[in-house]
Amino acid sequence: MMTRDDTLGTRLFVIFNYSFLSLVGLICLLPFINLLATSFSGSTAVASGEVKFWPVDFTLASYEFAMRSKQFSQSMLVAVERVALGVVVNMLLTILAGYALSKEKGNFKWRNFYAWFFVVTILFSGGLIPWYVVISKTGLIDSIWALILPNALPVFNVIVLLNFFRGLPKELEEAAFMDGASHWTVLWKIITPLSKPALATLTLFCIVNHWNSWFDGLILMNRTENYPLQSYLQTVIINPENIINLSRGDYADLLNLVNARTSRAAQLFMGTLPILLVYPFLQKYFTSGLVLGSVKG
Protein backbone atom coordinates (compact mmCIF):
# COMPACT_ATOMS: atom_id res chain seq x y z
CA MET A 1 0.00 0.00 0.00
CA MET A 2 1.34 3.43 -0.98
CA THR A 3 1.36 6.44 1.37
CA ARG A 4 1.75 10.19 0.82
CA ASP A 5 5.44 9.98 1.72
CA ASP A 6 6.24 7.59 -1.12
CA THR A 7 8.38 9.02 -3.92
CA LEU A 8 7.35 8.93 -7.55
CA GLY A 9 9.88 6.16 -8.21
CA THR A 10 8.46 4.03 -5.41
CA ARG A 11 4.92 4.48 -6.72
CA LEU A 12 5.95 3.57 -10.26
CA PHE A 13 7.78 0.49 -8.98
CA VAL A 14 4.72 -0.65 -6.99
CA ILE A 15 2.43 -0.13 -9.99
CA PHE A 16 4.81 -1.97 -12.30
CA ASN A 17 5.27 -4.77 -9.76
CA TYR A 18 1.55 -5.32 -9.30
CA SER A 19 0.93 -5.14 -13.05
CA PHE A 20 3.71 -7.59 -13.87
CA LEU A 21 2.70 -10.10 -11.20
CA SER A 22 -0.95 -9.84 -12.26
CA LEU A 23 0.08 -10.57 -15.85
CA VAL A 24 2.17 -13.57 -14.79
CA GLY A 25 -0.71 -14.86 -12.64
CA LEU A 26 -3.14 -14.49 -15.54
CA ILE A 27 -0.80 -16.35 -17.91
CA CYS A 28 -0.59 -19.21 -15.40
CA LEU A 29 -4.35 -19.22 -14.88
CA LEU A 30 -5.53 -19.15 -18.51
CA PRO A 31 -4.54 -22.78 -19.37
CA PHE A 32 -6.40 -23.97 -16.28
CA ILE A 33 -9.49 -21.97 -17.29
CA ASN A 34 -9.31 -23.46 -20.79
CA LEU A 35 -9.08 -26.95 -19.27
CA LEU A 36 -12.12 -26.27 -17.12
CA ALA A 37 -14.10 -24.87 -20.07
CA THR A 38 -13.20 -27.92 -22.16
CA SER A 39 -14.38 -30.30 -19.46
CA PHE A 40 -17.82 -28.63 -19.38
CA SER A 41 -18.22 -28.41 -23.17
CA GLY A 42 -19.81 -30.72 -25.69
CA SER A 43 -17.57 -33.03 -27.68
CA THR A 44 -18.54 -31.49 -31.03
CA ALA A 45 -17.66 -27.96 -29.92
CA VAL A 46 -14.31 -29.11 -28.55
CA ALA A 47 -13.45 -31.09 -31.67
CA SER A 48 -14.23 -28.09 -33.88
CA GLY A 49 -12.03 -25.78 -31.79
CA GLU A 50 -14.84 -23.50 -30.60
CA VAL A 51 -13.92 -23.70 -26.90
CA LYS A 52 -11.54 -21.08 -25.50
CA PHE A 53 -12.24 -19.82 -21.99
CA TRP A 54 -15.98 -20.41 -21.72
CA PRO A 55 -17.93 -23.68 -22.07
CA VAL A 56 -19.81 -24.29 -25.33
CA ASP A 57 -22.85 -26.60 -25.28
CA PHE A 58 -22.56 -26.90 -21.49
CA THR A 59 -22.74 -30.50 -20.22
CA LEU A 60 -21.64 -32.59 -17.24
CA ALA A 61 -21.28 -35.72 -19.35
CA SER A 62 -17.47 -35.75 -19.08
CA TYR A 63 -17.64 -35.73 -15.28
CA GLU A 64 -20.31 -38.42 -15.27
CA PHE A 65 -18.10 -40.46 -17.58
CA ALA A 66 -15.12 -40.02 -15.23
CA MET A 67 -17.10 -40.88 -12.10
CA ARG A 68 -18.43 -44.06 -13.71
CA SER A 69 -14.94 -45.13 -14.79
CA LYS A 70 -13.78 -47.94 -12.54
CA GLN A 71 -10.10 -47.33 -13.26
CA PHE A 72 -10.34 -43.62 -12.46
CA SER A 73 -12.15 -44.30 -9.17
CA GLN A 74 -9.66 -47.00 -8.20
CA SER A 75 -6.66 -44.78 -8.93
CA MET A 76 -8.25 -41.99 -6.90
CA LEU A 77 -8.58 -44.32 -3.90
CA VAL A 78 -4.95 -45.43 -4.26
CA ALA A 79 -3.84 -41.78 -4.37
CA VAL A 80 -5.85 -40.92 -1.23
CA GLU A 81 -4.40 -43.94 0.58
CA ARG A 82 -0.90 -42.94 -0.50
CA VAL A 83 -1.33 -39.38 0.76
CA ALA A 84 -2.86 -40.49 4.07
CA LEU A 85 -0.10 -42.99 4.85
CA GLY A 86 2.76 -41.11 3.22
CA VAL A 87 2.17 -37.78 4.98
CA VAL A 88 1.97 -39.46 8.40
CA VAL A 89 5.23 -41.36 7.79
CA ASN A 90 6.99 -38.30 6.33
CA MET A 91 6.00 -35.95 9.12
CA LEU A 92 6.72 -38.42 11.93
CA LEU A 93 10.25 -39.14 10.70
CA THR A 94 10.88 -35.48 9.84
CA ILE A 95 9.93 -34.34 13.35
CA LEU A 96 12.09 -36.99 15.01
CA ALA A 97 15.11 -36.32 12.78
CA GLY A 98 14.70 -32.55 12.95
CA TYR A 99 14.53 -32.55 16.75
CA ALA A 100 17.64 -34.69 17.11
CA LEU A 101 19.69 -32.69 14.60
CA SER A 102 18.62 -29.37 16.13
CA LYS A 103 20.61 -30.17 19.29
CA GLU A 104 24.09 -28.83 19.88
CA LYS A 105 27.03 -31.17 19.38
CA GLY A 106 27.57 -31.30 23.14
CA ASN A 107 24.09 -32.78 23.61
CA PHE A 108 24.22 -35.10 20.58
CA LYS A 109 27.73 -36.41 19.93
CA TRP A 110 27.04 -37.82 16.47
CA ARG A 111 25.03 -34.85 15.27
CA ASN A 112 27.48 -33.73 12.54
CA PHE A 113 27.91 -37.26 11.24
CA TYR A 114 24.18 -37.78 10.75
CA ALA A 115 23.72 -34.26 9.37
CA TRP A 116 26.31 -34.88 6.64
CA PHE A 117 24.91 -38.35 6.06
CA PHE A 118 21.54 -36.80 5.21
CA VAL A 119 23.01 -33.98 3.14
CA VAL A 120 24.98 -36.41 0.97
CA THR A 121 21.72 -38.10 -0.05
CA ILE A 122 20.58 -34.78 -1.55
CA LEU A 123 23.74 -34.40 -3.62
CA PHE A 124 24.24 -38.01 -4.74
CA SER A 125 22.02 -40.99 -5.48
CA GLY A 126 22.55 -44.56 -6.56
CA GLY A 127 20.58 -44.12 -9.76
CA LEU A 128 17.33 -45.52 -11.08
CA ILE A 129 18.38 -49.16 -11.47
CA PRO A 130 19.79 -49.65 -7.92
CA TRP A 131 16.73 -47.83 -6.59
CA TYR A 132 14.43 -50.26 -8.39
CA VAL A 133 16.49 -53.33 -7.44
CA VAL A 134 16.41 -52.46 -3.73
CA ILE A 135 12.63 -51.98 -3.78
CA SER A 136 12.16 -55.18 -5.78
CA LYS A 137 14.38 -57.30 -3.49
CA THR A 138 12.50 -56.08 -0.42
CA GLY A 139 9.24 -57.35 -1.91
CA LEU A 140 7.52 -53.98 -2.16
CA ILE A 141 6.70 -54.06 -5.87
CA ASP A 142 2.96 -53.70 -6.55
CA SER A 143 2.23 -52.60 -2.98
CA ILE A 144 1.27 -49.21 -1.58
CA TRP A 145 4.42 -49.18 0.56
CA ALA A 146 6.59 -49.05 -2.56
CA LEU A 147 5.24 -45.52 -3.07
CA ILE A 148 5.85 -44.46 0.54
CA LEU A 149 8.92 -46.06 2.12
CA PRO A 150 11.59 -45.13 -0.51
CA ASN A 151 10.88 -41.43 0.18
CA ALA A 152 9.92 -41.78 3.83
CA LEU A 153 12.37 -39.13 5.04
CA PRO A 154 12.47 -35.94 2.91
CA VAL A 155 15.84 -34.43 3.83
CA PHE A 156 14.96 -30.91 2.66
CA ASN A 157 12.02 -30.89 5.08
CA VAL A 158 14.31 -32.04 7.88
CA ILE A 159 16.67 -29.11 7.22
CA VAL A 160 13.79 -26.62 7.27
CA LEU A 161 12.36 -28.05 10.48
CA LEU A 162 15.62 -28.31 12.40
CA ASN A 163 16.33 -24.65 11.65
CA PHE A 164 12.88 -23.79 12.97
CA PHE A 165 13.49 -25.83 16.13
CA ARG A 166 16.79 -24.00 16.68
CA GLY A 167 14.98 -20.69 16.58
CA LEU A 168 12.71 -21.59 19.49
CA PRO A 169 13.71 -20.29 22.96
CA LYS A 170 16.07 -22.73 24.65
CA GLU A 171 14.76 -21.64 28.04
CA LEU A 172 11.54 -23.58 27.42
CA GLU A 173 13.43 -26.86 27.08
CA GLU A 174 15.71 -26.11 30.00
CA ALA A 175 12.77 -25.33 32.27
CA ALA A 176 11.04 -28.54 31.23
CA PHE A 177 14.17 -30.63 31.85
CA MET A 178 14.56 -29.07 35.29
CA ASP A 179 10.99 -30.17 36.06
CA GLY A 180 11.90 -33.74 35.12
CA ALA A 181 10.54 -33.87 31.57
CA SER A 182 12.08 -36.32 29.10
CA HIS A 183 13.02 -35.58 25.50
CA TRP A 184 9.77 -37.22 24.36
CA THR A 185 7.74 -34.95 26.59
CA VAL A 186 9.62 -31.85 25.46
CA LEU A 187 9.23 -32.76 21.79
CA TRP A 188 5.52 -33.63 21.74
CA LYS A 189 4.17 -31.30 24.41
CA ILE A 190 6.34 -28.20 24.01
CA ILE A 191 8.26 -28.11 20.73
CA THR A 192 5.61 -29.54 18.41
CA PRO A 193 2.73 -27.26 19.52
CA LEU A 194 4.98 -24.22 19.04
CA SER A 195 5.94 -25.36 15.54
CA LYS A 196 2.50 -25.34 13.90
CA PRO A 197 3.47 -22.87 11.10
CA ALA A 198 6.48 -24.95 10.04
CA LEU A 199 4.63 -28.25 10.41
CA ALA A 200 1.68 -26.97 8.36
CA THR A 201 4.05 -25.82 5.61
CA LEU A 202 5.89 -29.14 5.48
CA THR A 203 2.62 -31.05 5.59
CA LEU A 204 1.52 -29.14 2.49
CA PHE A 205 4.83 -30.02 0.80
CA CYS A 206 4.30 -33.71 1.58
CA ILE A 207 0.68 -33.71 0.40
CA VAL A 208 1.56 -32.06 -2.91
CA ASN A 209 4.58 -34.33 -3.41
CA HIS A 210 2.63 -37.55 -2.88
CA TRP A 211 -0.43 -36.39 -4.80
CA ASN A 212 1.52 -35.21 -7.86
CA SER A 213 3.99 -38.11 -8.09
CA TRP A 214 3.42 -40.26 -11.14
CA PHE A 215 6.76 -41.74 -12.25
CA ASP A 216 7.23 -44.14 -9.33
CA GLY A 217 3.71 -45.48 -9.82
CA LEU A 218 4.46 -46.38 -13.45
CA ILE A 219 7.76 -48.06 -12.52
CA LEU A 220 6.77 -49.88 -9.33
CA MET A 221 3.22 -51.00 -10.15
CA ASN A 222 2.83 -53.92 -12.53
CA ARG A 223 -0.97 -53.85 -12.49
CA THR A 224 -2.84 -50.79 -13.70
CA GLU A 225 -5.42 -51.11 -10.90
CA ASN A 226 -2.61 -50.27 -8.45
CA TYR A 227 -1.73 -47.02 -10.22
CA PRO A 228 -2.13 -43.84 -8.14
CA LEU A 229 -4.20 -41.11 -9.80
CA GLN A 230 -1.33 -39.18 -11.38
CA SER A 231 0.17 -42.32 -12.93
CA TYR A 232 -3.21 -43.16 -14.43
CA LEU A 233 -3.64 -39.60 -15.72
CA GLN A 234 -0.19 -39.75 -17.30
CA THR A 235 -1.29 -42.76 -19.36
CA VAL A 236 -4.44 -40.85 -20.31
CA ILE A 237 -2.39 -37.88 -21.53
CA ILE A 238 0.01 -40.07 -23.52
CA ASN A 239 -2.76 -42.10 -25.17
CA PRO A 240 -6.12 -40.39 -24.58
CA GLU A 241 -8.05 -42.50 -27.07
CA ASN A 242 -7.63 -45.54 -24.83
CA ILE A 243 -10.11 -44.28 -22.23
CA ILE A 244 -12.78 -44.07 -24.91
CA ASN A 245 -11.91 -47.38 -26.58
CA LEU A 246 -11.75 -49.32 -23.30
CA SER A 247 -15.10 -47.95 -22.18
CA ARG A 248 -16.98 -48.35 -25.43
CA GLY A 249 -18.95 -51.33 -24.20
CA ASP A 250 -19.82 -49.95 -20.76
CA TYR A 251 -20.75 -46.33 -21.36
CA ALA A 252 -22.39 -46.34 -24.78
CA ASP A 253 -24.98 -43.84 -23.58
CA LEU A 254 -22.26 -41.24 -22.88
CA LEU A 255 -19.95 -41.78 -25.83
CA ASN A 256 -21.99 -39.52 -28.09
CA LEU A 257 -21.54 -36.65 -25.60
CA VAL A 258 -17.83 -36.98 -24.78
CA ASN A 259 -14.56 -37.52 -26.59
CA ALA A 260 -10.97 -38.08 -25.56
CA ARG A 261 -10.29 -34.37 -24.99
CA THR A 262 -13.35 -33.62 -22.85
CA SER A 263 -13.00 -36.75 -20.73
CA ARG A 264 -9.29 -36.10 -20.24
CA ALA A 265 -9.94 -32.48 -19.23
CA ALA A 266 -12.56 -33.57 -16.67
CA GLN A 267 -10.25 -36.16 -15.12
CA LEU A 268 -7.30 -33.75 -14.99
CA PHE A 269 -9.43 -31.12 -13.26
CA MET A 270 -10.77 -33.65 -10.75
CA GLY A 271 -7.20 -34.73 -10.06
CA THR A 272 -6.23 -31.12 -9.29
CA LEU A 273 -9.32 -30.28 -7.21
CA PRO A 274 -8.24 -31.94 -3.89
CA ILE A 275 -5.04 -29.85 -3.74
CA LEU A 276 -7.03 -26.70 -4.53
CA LEU A 277 -9.34 -27.48 -1.62
CA VAL A 278 -6.55 -28.27 0.87
CA TYR A 279 -4.24 -25.35 0.06
CA PRO A 280 -6.44 -22.47 1.40
CA PHE A 281 -6.53 -24.07 4.86
CA LEU A 282 -2.72 -24.28 5.06
CA GLN A 283 -1.79 -21.17 3.07
CA LYS A 284 -1.88 -18.84 6.11
CA TYR A 285 0.97 -20.87 7.66
CA PHE A 286 2.97 -21.11 4.46
CA THR A 287 4.98 -17.87 4.46
CA SER A 288 5.51 -17.61 8.21
CA GLY A 289 6.56 -21.26 8.41
CA LEU A 290 9.28 -20.90 5.80
CA VAL A 291 10.58 -17.53 7.04
CA LEU A 292 10.72 -18.58 10.68
CA GLY A 293 12.35 -21.87 9.70
CA SER A 294 15.11 -20.18 7.73
CA VAL A 295 16.52 -17.86 10.40
CA LYS A 296 17.82 -18.73 13.83
CA GLY A 297 16.06 -16.33 16.20
Side-chain angles (χ1 to χ4, degrees):
M1 177 179 291
M2 293 182 290
T3 64
R4 292 182 179 180
D5 297 332
D6 290 334
T7 64
L8 178 61
T10 301
R11 294 182 180 183
L12 290 176
F13 172 77
V14 172
I15 293 173
F16 173 80
N17 199 26
Y18 274 96
S19 301
F20 176 74
L21 293 178
S22 298
L23 179 62
V24 172
L26 183 62
I27 292 174
C28 296
L29 192 60
L30 286 178
F32 189 77
I33 296 175
N34 175 258
L35 180 73
L36 187 60
T38 300
S39 69
F40 284 117
S41 299
S43 59
T44 302
V46 173
S48 60
E50 299 177 28
V51 180
K52 301 300 181 185
F53 304 112
W54 193 259
V56 178
D57 299 332
F58 183 87
T59 177
L60 296 175
S62 296
Y63 290 92
E64 183 181 353
F65 180 87
M67 294 301 295
R68 290 169 60 178
S69 171
K70 182 178 179 181
Q71 189 170 2
F72 177 81
S73 301
Q74 179 64 29
S75 64
M76 177 73 80
L77 291 176
V78 173
V80 171
E81 182 182 7
R82 173 180 184 169
V83 170
L85 294 174
V87 170
V88 171
V89 172
N90 286 160
M91 293 307 299
L92 179 62
L93 295 180
T94 298
I95 291 172
L96 294 176
Y99 177 75
L101 294 178
S102 67
K103 300 304 173 186
E104 300 296 335
K105 188 175 180 181
N107 297 326
F108 182 22
K109 182 179 179 181
W110 295 96
R111 174 188 173 278
N112 289 346
F113 170 80
Y114 285 108
W116 279 108
F117 180 84
F118 288 143
V119 170
V120 167
T121 64
I122 298 179
L123 303 175
F124 306 99
S125 68
L128 180 60
I129 294 178
W131 172 78
Y132 180 84
V133 169
V134 169
I135 298 174
S136 176
K137 294 299 183 181
T138 52
L140 296 178
I141 296 295
D142 245 0
S143 73
I144 189 66
W145 295 107
L147 306 175
I148 297 172
L149 295 182
N151 298 309
L153 182 62
V155 178
F156 174 79
N157 293 2
V158 173
I159 295 174
V160 172
L161 193 60
L162 74 86
N163 283 325
F164 187 95
F165 286 166
R166 286 182 184 178
L168 296 176
K170 300 299 181 184
E171 292 79 8
L172 295 174
E173 293 185 42
E174 294 171 357
F177 289 139
M178 290 180 65
D179 290 337
S182 64
H183 282 287
W184 287 103
T185 302
V186 170
L187 173 60
W188 298 113
K189 293 189 177 182
I190 298 177
I191 301 299
T192 302
L194 293 174
S195 306
K196 288 181 180 179
L199 295 178
T201 301
L202 298 182
T203 298
L204 179 62
F205 285 172
C206 293
I207 291 174
V208 172
N209 179 64
H210 280 291
W211 187 263
N212 287 341
S213 294
W214 60 271
F215 181 73
D216 52 356
L218 291 178
I219 297 296
L220 302 176
M221 299 296 146
N222 294 327
R223 295 180 296 177
T224 56
E225 58 265 29
N226 290 332
Y227 279 179
L229 181 62
Q230 302 304 327
S231 299
Y232 165 70
L233 291 179
Q234 197 272 347
T235 63
V236 169
I237 292 173
I238 295 299
N239 197 355
E241 295 297 336
N242 273 352
I243 63 176
I244 299 297
N245 295 332
L246 293 175
S247 306
R248 200 168 291 281
D250 299 327
Y251 312 125
D253 57 325
L254 291 175
L255 291 180
N256 293 328
L257 303 175
V258 303
N259 60 21
R261 289 184 61 188
T262 60
S263 60
R264 179 177 60 184
Q267 294 184 50
L268 288 174
F269 177 74
M270 293 175 67
T272 308
L273 188 60
I275 295 298
L276 295 179
L277 295 177
V278 169
Y279 184 79
F281 295 99
L282 299 177
Q283 189 270 342
K284 63 180 180 180
Y285 298 108
F286 190 82
T287 303
S288 59
L290 285 184
V291 171
L292 291 174
S294 62
V295 179
K296 183 175 181 180

